[in-house]
Amino acid sequence: MTIVLDGKSLAKSTEEDIANRVKSLKEKRDITPVLATILVGSDPASATYVQMKGNACKRVGMDSIKIELSETTTTDELLEEINKLNENPNIHGILLQHPVPSQIDERKCFDAIDLSKDVDGVTCLGFGNMSMGEKAYGSCTPQGIMRLIKHHQIQVEGKNAVVVGRSPILGKPMAMMLLNENATVTICHSRTQDLESIVKQADIIVGAVGIPQFIKSSWIKDDAVVIDAGYHPQKCGDIELTDIKDRSLAYTPVPGGVGPMTINTLILQTLESCENS
Ligand code: NAP
């Protein structure tokens, strides 16, 4: 029977556990985990994501502070804000909402986040540590996907995993996480030739492309594990899921699969940062 990798329900049950741990921190150490979010500019989708992250904090009894900066913010101004948050002992996690306006050196700003507060897993150092199998907060979407896979005891070791997409926040860390679990990993991108034949080899396929239903159902073999990180306004992901529900070993529904795990991982890692502080 096909396993539905139901991120919505796993995120909900984990929230209960997170809320209990937050309560215990308050009672035993008189501290509350705090996530600082930074939003630069007025992109409505980014504003919604930041709002959703603040709401998730509230649901589990954590605090969040929202820093909103203008569209014309410079790299130096943003770095100054990040440094203030780095130095504030009451802040346990820092999230810089991606993307930032084009005049800003996003990589430089991500890397300015103190490693101990990099709960969104965006720094090069954090990526390096994670890739080497050292302790690190993983980038939230791929980390959420790995939590979902592990929760459902999906075998990764020895499997052919194909990740379509190589972005720093999703495709690349996803590939390293699967490699760390002993999958044989192929990373595909916009210059990949004959994508179809590579996807056809996949025991585990991860769609992280950003194009609606780009990966066709006919490319995916029976009994594959199908992970769709995309979510588009037409309520579909990056993979054509038409008959996948009936013939895959497991799949993430869209919506309700990967999406809820991303925010859940962010608040979980903020809690862990606070517990470790
Ligand atoms: P991105 O930064 O735009 O990266 C897209 C990747 O897809 C790039 O590596 C690109 O290759 C590759 N690509 C583009 N066209 C391709 C083609 N024709 N063939 C093969 N590969 C191609 O996007 P992202 O931020 O990683 O996001 C990917 C998807 O995940 C989006 O649908 C996004 O909405 C979703 N997402 C979801 C969450 C969540 O919380 N659920 C979080 C983040 C992202 P090149 O490197 O060669 O350009």
Side-chain angles (χ1 to χ4, degrees), residues 148-185:
L148 201 47
I149 286 177
K150 282 183 186 170
H151 176 79
H152 288 277
Q153 297 175 319
I154 303 287
Q155 192 190 333
V156 173
E157 183 161 321
K159 300 292 179 188
N160 279 333
V162 174
V163 180
V164 188
R166 59 172 169 180
S167 72
I169 59 152
L170 182 44
K172 272 186 196 157
M174 181 81 258
M176 297 314 296
M177 288 175 194
L178 289 164
L179 181 64
N180 285 346
E181 294 298 325
N182 299 317
T184 302
V185 183

Side-chain angles (χ1 to χ4, degrees), residues 59-244:
R59 285 200 298 275
V60 296
M62 289 172 31
D63 286 340
S64 64
I65 63 162
K66 199 155 109 184
I67 291 159
E68 291 177 313
L69 302 174
S70 79
E71 192 76 41
T72 56
T73 302
T74 63
T75 300
D76 283 345
E77 285 165 344
L78 180 52
L79 287 172
E80 202 180 311
E81 288 296 334
I82 292 169
N83 285 331
K84 275 193 240 164
L85 296 170
N86 283 338
E87 282 160 18
N88 184 341
N90 299 320
I91 301 290
H92 307 101
I94 301 172
L95 170 114
L96 170 59
Q97 184 63 43
H98 161 86
V100 294
S102 58
Q103 77 277 8
I104 292 176
D105 183 340
E106 185 179 77
R107 176 47 42 206
K108 193 170 180 186
C109 292
F110 275 156
D111 282 331
I113 296 172
D114 190 282
L115 191 60
S116 67
K117 300 186 181 189
D118 178 25
V119 293
D120 199 25
V122 293
T123 60
C124 284
L125 203 52
F127 175 83
N129 285 344
M130 179 278 291
S131 300
M132 297 304 280
E134 299 293 328
K135 213 164 179 295
Y137 298 117
S139 180
C140 289
T141 303
Q143 184 73 32
I145 291 171
M146 292 310 292
R147 289 176 54 215
L148 201 47
I149 286 177
K150 282 183 186 170
H151 176 79
H152 288 277
Q153 297 175 319
I154 303 287
Q155 192 190 333
V156 173
E157 183 161 321
K159 300 292 179 188
N160 279 333
V162 174
V163 180
V164 188
R166 59 172 169 180
S167 72
I169 59 152
L170 182 44
K172 272 186 196 157
M174 181 81 258
M176 297 314 296
M177 288 175 194
L178 289 164
L179 181 64
N180 285 346
E181 294 298 325
N182 299 317
T184 302
V185 183
T186 306
I187 309 174
C188 302
H189 46 78
S190 63
R191 324 286 162 81
T192 296
Q193 298 198 357
D194 200 2
L195 182 64
E196 177 176 344
S197 71
I198 299 172
V199 172
K200 278 185 167 157
Q201 306 295 318
D203 301 312
I204 301 171
I205 170 76
V206 181
V209 200
I211 303 171
Q213 301 196 327
F214 175 76
I215 298 163
K216 302 301 169 205
S217 160
S218 60
W219 303 356
I220 299 171
K221 69 179 183 187
D222 288 353
D223 295 323
V225 174
V226 181
I227 310 286
D228 194 343
Y231 183 55
H232 303 281
Q234 49 273 57
K235 288 195 167 37
C236 68
D238 292 352
I239 302 180
E240 189 184 58
L241 289 175
T242 335
D243 62 340
I244 292 300

Side-chain angles (χ1 to χ4, degrees), residues 5-17:
L5 301 171
D6 183 346
K8 197 172 166 189
S9 98
L10 180 58
K12 190 157 182 269
S13 62
T14 314
E15 273 195 7
E16 287 165 27
D17 175 52

